[in-house]
């Protein structure tokens, strides 16, 4: 043998570890296929699948901020639903002001109105997040029980504020012309708005991934989730980083609120606390602190909720809780457990 | 004697209900290596963490370069030029080696020349530049932790047991690197149990026990005085291992 040169050591990631990371990604297609088998009719399945993905994307948008907030500062925020509701009300108010635009046949005006409503909602909920963090969360860092009580209090205050500002009734609004109606593919009807929701959710997920993997602030967030003390010892003010993350998460919850509101076309002051049940399930399934886990969890919950609503309406909510239980039995820390130094 | 860079006077630190540091007095002269010795649980790590602001002293003063830093937050202390290599190394395992280094250069882009120098000191930093830091061996993680601390010029580096659990060949590499670092005007406060290494590199020494400094002086003096070593903590036993 002439080839005696020492080869450089090539790092091999063990198969087990690779599988650990890849397996959860297969869950979504597996669930979709299982849905197809159970439903039988491909057109109904397609409609339900798109509906499920759209719902999942909206939940992901609302949940993503919550999971990073938990990962970074170990803060449990039960008040997150307040941002969803406030966002929806602000968005609806703006859309009501822009009624001329939303009723116009011009697609551009329709979309401009929605965009302005979304930006206004995100701005207000972002600022609300700033106040919420400084006044409610900051005094109770590191104390879980107090966090739960105090943030729940914050949620109640926010809901009462909605009553004060917008009155006790629910609000209705129709989606702008451009977002009404469905595409028909074969026998399946696919609502346009659901496709838009999927597109926005996907774009947001990819943007978030990019930020977390490629930008300094994203690296800091990931480093901070693992070892906040070390991030501080390197000279970064983690409290400020956390505030930015908290505000971003609140603004995203506001965005989710507008999107959810447009989806339902009806909003109430307690919509936030209702949807938070699903949001918490998703965050727990994904692994507290993991954005990717949160995304997969949201898709699973969205699909399952729609499939079961069609197959067995009575067990729809229970099914998502059952999903959580099954996943926690498989991976007690969620799909992607986050590494913590402490 | 050189000027004093860091002074701890009468430092008390509580962790929860425990009174860990009970009046630590320590002077770290500028430009050399000060070794902090002491048996397990003596309070060495707590001392470094208190300097870095990761625990806040309940009493006493810490002066760095004639400024009081006792009550400053950790990031402010870091910005004054103090870096910490913690006992558990504090590697971000979810990030690559490169990303660990990029974050460590907190004040701007990585200085390429300095990075080259670091890669010479610690070749694995270059070899595994794009690997996930979580896949590094213990010794390589230790090198990364020190490399992070020196990617920007620092005035004082606090290093907590850099040779813990390392093979002798790697200990030698680490010692050489610290010696070279010493040449660059960086002051080092080193916690080290390996007396052979500590005495080879240290200029001054302080010995802790039960949350206090029980001896301080020149390293040469202690290294030559077997009785004193014996008396302080049976260190000579370790030295012959
Ligand atoms: N987080 C903590 N909570 C409670 N007690 C602690 C904590 N950290 C350290 N201690 C206690 O403080 C004392 C000093 O610990 P410290 O880690 O400073 O010792 P050390 O000299 O670094 O020891 P070693 O050589 O084992 O690293 C020990 O009795 C330890 O049990
Ligand atoms: Mg220690």
């Amino acid at each position: 043998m002439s080839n005696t040169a020492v080869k450089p050591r090539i790092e091999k990631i063990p198969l087990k570890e690779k599988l650990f990371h890849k397996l959860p990604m297969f869950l979504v297609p597996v669930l979709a296929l299982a849905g197809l088998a159970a439903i039988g009719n491909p057109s109904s399945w397609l409609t339900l699948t798109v509906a499920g993905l759209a719902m999942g994307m909206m939940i992901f948008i609302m949940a993503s901020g919550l999971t990073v907030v938990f990962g970074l500062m170990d803060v449990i925020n039960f008040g997150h639903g307040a941002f969803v509701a406030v966002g929806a009300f602000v968005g609806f108010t703006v859309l009501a002001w822009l009624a001329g635009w939303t009723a116009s046949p011009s697609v551009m005006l329709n979309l401009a109105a929605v965009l302005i409503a979304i930006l206004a909602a995100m701005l207000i909920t972002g600022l609300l997040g700033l106040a919420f963090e400084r006044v409610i969360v900051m005094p109770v860092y590191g104390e879980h029980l107090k966090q739960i009580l105090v943030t729940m209090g914050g949620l109640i205050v926010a809901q009462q504020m909605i009553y004060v500002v917008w009155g006790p009734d629910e609000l209705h609004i129709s989606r702008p012309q451009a977002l009404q109606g469905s595409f028909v593919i074969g026998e399946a009807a696919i609502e346009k708005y659901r496709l838009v929701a999927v597109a926005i959710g996907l774009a947001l997920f990819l943007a978030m991934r990019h930020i977390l993997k490629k930008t300094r602030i994203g690296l800091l967030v990931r480093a901070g989730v693992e070892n906040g003390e070390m991030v501080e010892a390197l000279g970064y003010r983690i409290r400020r980083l956390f505030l930015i993350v908290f505000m971003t998460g609140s603004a995203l919850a506001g965005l989710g609120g507008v999107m959810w509101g447009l989806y339902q076309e009806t909003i109430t002051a307690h919509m936030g606390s209702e949807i938070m049940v699903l949001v918490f399930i998703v965050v727990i399934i994904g692994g507290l602190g993991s954005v990717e886990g949160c995304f997969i969890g949201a898709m699973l919950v969205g699909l399952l909720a729609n499939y079961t609503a069609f197959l067995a309406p009575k067990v729809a909510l229970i099914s998502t809780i059952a999903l959580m239980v099954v996943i926690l039995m498989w991976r007690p820390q969620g799909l992607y457990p986050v590494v913590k130094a402490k | 004697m050189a000027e004093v860079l860091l002074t701890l006077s009468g430092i008390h630190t509580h962790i929860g209900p425990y009174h860990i540091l009970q009046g630590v007095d320590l002077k770290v002269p500028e430009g050399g290596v000060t070794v902090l010795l002491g048996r397990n649980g003596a309070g060495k790590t707590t001392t470094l963490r208190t300097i870095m602001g990761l625990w806040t002293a309940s009493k006493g003063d810490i002066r760095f370069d004639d400024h009081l830093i006792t009550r400053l937050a950790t990031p402010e202390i870091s910005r004054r030029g103090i870096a910490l290599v913690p006992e558990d190394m504090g590697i971000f395992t979810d990030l690559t080696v490169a990303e660990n280094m990029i974050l460590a250069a907190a004040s701007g882009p990585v200085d390429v020349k300095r990075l080259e120098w670091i890669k010479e000191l610690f070749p694995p930093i270059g070899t595994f530049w794009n690997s996930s830091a979580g896949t590094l061996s213990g010794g390589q993680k230790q090198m990364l932790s020190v490399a992070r601390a020196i990617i920007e010029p620092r005035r004082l580096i606090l290093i907590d047991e850099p040779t813990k659990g390392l093979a002798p060949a790697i200990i030698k590499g680490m010692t050489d690197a610290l010696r070279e670092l010493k040449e660059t005007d960086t002051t080092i406060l080193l916690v080290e149990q390996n007396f052979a290494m500590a005495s080879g590199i240290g200029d001054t020494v302080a010995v802790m026990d039960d949350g206090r400094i029980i001896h301080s002086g020149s390293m040469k003096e202690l290294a030559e005085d077997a009785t004193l070593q014996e008396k302080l903590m049976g260190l000579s036993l370790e030295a012959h291992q």
Side-chain angles (χ1 to χ4, degrees):
Chain A
M1 285 268 274
S2 61
N3 186 6
T4 51
V6 181
K7 283 193 184 153
R9 193 166 66 95
I10 295 168
E11 268 181 282
K12 276 210 189 111
I13 302 171
L15 182 68
K16 208 176 150 200
E17 208 168 301
K18 253 191 205 160
L19 272 182
F20 187 88
H21 277 92
K22 292 272 186 292
L23 269 182
M25 296 178 198
F26 294 117
L27 288 179
V28 178
V30 165
L31 179 62
L33 288 178
L36 181 59
I39 292 162
N41 177 348
S43 336
S44 315
W45 173 79
L46 186 59
T47 305
L48 289 171
T49 302
V50 173
L53 291 178
M55 178 175 160
M57 292 291 179
M58 287 187 266
I59 295 174
F60 166 71
I61 292 170
M62 296 182 242
S64 54
L66 192 68
T67 199
V68 181
V69 159
F70 183 86
L72 194 57
M73 292 298 269
D74 215 16
V75 165
I76 302 178
N77 181 10
F78 273 85
H80 197 68
F83 306 119
V84 173
V86 170
F89 274 86
V90 171
F92 269 39
T93 306
V94 171
L95 285 174
W97 287 340
L98 298 174
W101 292 15
T102 56
S104 141
S106 152
V107 174
M108 287 309 284
L109 278 183
N110 283 182
L111 294 184
V114 172
L115 190 66
I116 292 172
I118 283 175
L119 290 179
M122 291 180 76
L123 181 72
I124 299 289
T125 50
L127 291 176
L128 192 65
L130 172 73
F132 204 90
E133 202 273 342
R134 291 285 109 154
V135 177
I136 295 180
V137 177
M138 202 164 71
V140 291
Y141 275 139
E143 300 171 88
H144 280 162
L145 183 62
K146 284 191 188 169
Q147 281 165 11
I148 293 172
L149 295 174
V150 153
T151 55
M152 273 184 148
L155 175 66
I156 295 169
V157 171
Q159 284 175 351
Q160 296 303 316
M161 291 297 289
I162 291 177
Y163 288 137
V164 171
V165 178
W166 284 280
D169 301 326
E170 45 185 47
L171 290 189
H172 301 277
I173 213 163
S174 318
R175 282 196 288 274
Q177 289 288 323
L179 298 178
Q180 284 178 11
S182 313
F183 297 110
V184 178
I185 302 177
E187 285 173 23
I190 296 176
E191 276 188 47
K192 282 185 201 166
Y193 183 70
R194 289 177 178 164
L195 287 181
V196 172
V198 170
I200 294 179
L202 207 56
L204 208 77
F205 174 63
L206 293 177
M208 237 178 201
R209 257 179 68 114
H210 176 81
I211 290 171
L212 285 173
K213 290 209 189 298
K214 299 282 182 241
T215 69
R216 194 182 192 90
I217 195 158
L219 293 180
L220 276 176
V221 168
R222 283 166 57 209
V225 166
E226 180 170 352
N227 190 342
E229 275 189 348
M230 199 60 221
V231 168
E232 292 213 286
L234 291 177
Y236 299 95
R237 300 181 175 111
I238 203 163
R239 291 277 168 100
R240 192 179 293 177
L241 180 69
F242 177 68
L243 181 61
I244 295 172
V245 168
F246 197 95
M247 289 175 67
T248 311
S250 309
L252 288 176
L255 166 64
V258 180
M259 291 177 64
W260 190 258
L262 280 174
Y263 182 52
Q264 306 280 349
E265 300 193 310
T266 299
I267 55 174
T268 65
H270 42 91
M271 65 180 282
S273 28
E274 287 162 12
I275 199 155
M276 281 315 283
V277 177
L278 290 178
V279 168
F280 273 110
I281 290 177
V282 160
V283 168
I284 293 168
I285 286 180
L288 294 158
S290 160
V291 170
E292 273 157 16
C294 177
F295 184 75
I296 294 178
M299 295 309 112
L300 294 176
V301 164
L303 287 176
L304 188 66
N306 278 274
Y307 293 156
T308 48
F310 177 79
L311 292 167
K314 283 190 182 141
V315 298
L317 179 63
I318 298 175
S319 71
T320 52
I321 294 175
L323 174 72
M324 176 173 78
V325 171
V326 170
I327 286 187
L328 291 185
M329 275 160 43
W330 177 42
R331 289 193 178 171
Q333 316 257 28
L335 292 175
Y336 290 115
V338 164
V339 204
K340 280 268 180 195
K342 284 152 281 172
Chain B
M1 190 94 226
E3 299 232 349
V4 175
L5 181 64
L6 179 81
T7 313
L8 277 68
S9 8
I11 286 296
H12 289 254
T13 299
H14 288 81
I15 304 178
Y18 307 104
H19 190 174
I20 310 289
L21 298 189
Q22 311 192 354
V24 171
D25 294 298
L26 174 69
K27 282 189 187 342
V28 178
E30 181 150 24
V33 175
T34 300
V35 178
L36 190 55
L37 297 169
R39 57 184 181 79
N40 294 119
K44 306 178 297 291
T45 298
T46 308
T47 303
L48 295 195
R49 286 177 58 88
T50 305
I51 296 169
M52 202 66 217
L54 293 169
W55 300 127
T56 307
S58 46
K59 218 170 114 191
D61 286 342
I62 304 176
R63 276 180 188 280
F64 177 63
D65 203 18
D66 275 338
H67 295 282
L68 218 50
I69 60 165
T70 329
R71 308 248 162 264
L72 290 185
T74 302
E76 316 312 323
I77 293 172
S78 159
R79 283 162 191 224
R80 292 187 179 217
I82 306 184
L84 172 68
V85 178
E87 194 167 15
D88 66 4
M89 302 177 280
I91 298 300
F92 306 125
T93 57
D94 196 29
L95 272 51
T96 64
V97 170
E99 290 165 342
N100 269 274
M101 295 297 286
I102 289 169
L103 287 189
S107 60
V110 173
D111 176 344
V112 180
K113 258 205 166 136
R114 211 175 157 84
L115 183 61
E116 288 310 315
W117 169 65
I118 287 175
K119 284 179 180 171
E120 275 166 34
L121 284 182
F122 303 118
I125 301 294
T127 321
F128 298 104
W129 186 245
N130 286 314
S131 308
S132 157
T135 62
L136 297 180
S137 73
Q140 292 161 346
K141 281 192 181 123
Q142 194 61 259
M143 293 180 205
L144 175 57
S145 190
V146 175
R148 272 193 330 196
I150 60 176
I151 185 66
E152 292 190 332
R154 310 281 187 182
R155 304 207 45 204
L156 172 65
I157 304 191
L158 315 171
I159 310 181
D160 203 343
E161 297 199 49
T163 62
K164 194 160 125 187
L166 301 191
I170 303 182
I171 294 186
K172 185 175 176 306
M174 182 62 73
T175 314
D176 292 344
L178 294 186
R179 204 166 276 137
E180 192 168 333
L181 189 61
K182 190 175 146 182
E183 303 301 312
T184 64
D185 278 342
T186 309
T187 309
I188 300 176
L189 175 55
L190 176 69
V191 169
E192 185 53 68
Q193 303 267 26
N194 180 329
F195 190 68
M197 182 215 180
S199 57
I201 193 174
D203 301 304
T204 47
V205 60
V207 183
M208 283 194 89
D209 202 18
D210 282 340
R212 287 192 192 86
I213 304 285
I214 53 166
H215 168 89
S216 51
S218 89
M219 181 55 103
K220 199 156 167 278
E221 204 177 82
L222 179 63
E224 286 168 356
D225 189 342
T227 5
L228 184 59
Q229 289 173 34
E230 199 98 37
K231 184 179 135 221
L232 286 173
M233 39 188 290
L235 276 174
S236 54
L237 289 176
E238 276 186 20
H240 292 303
Q241 271 175 9

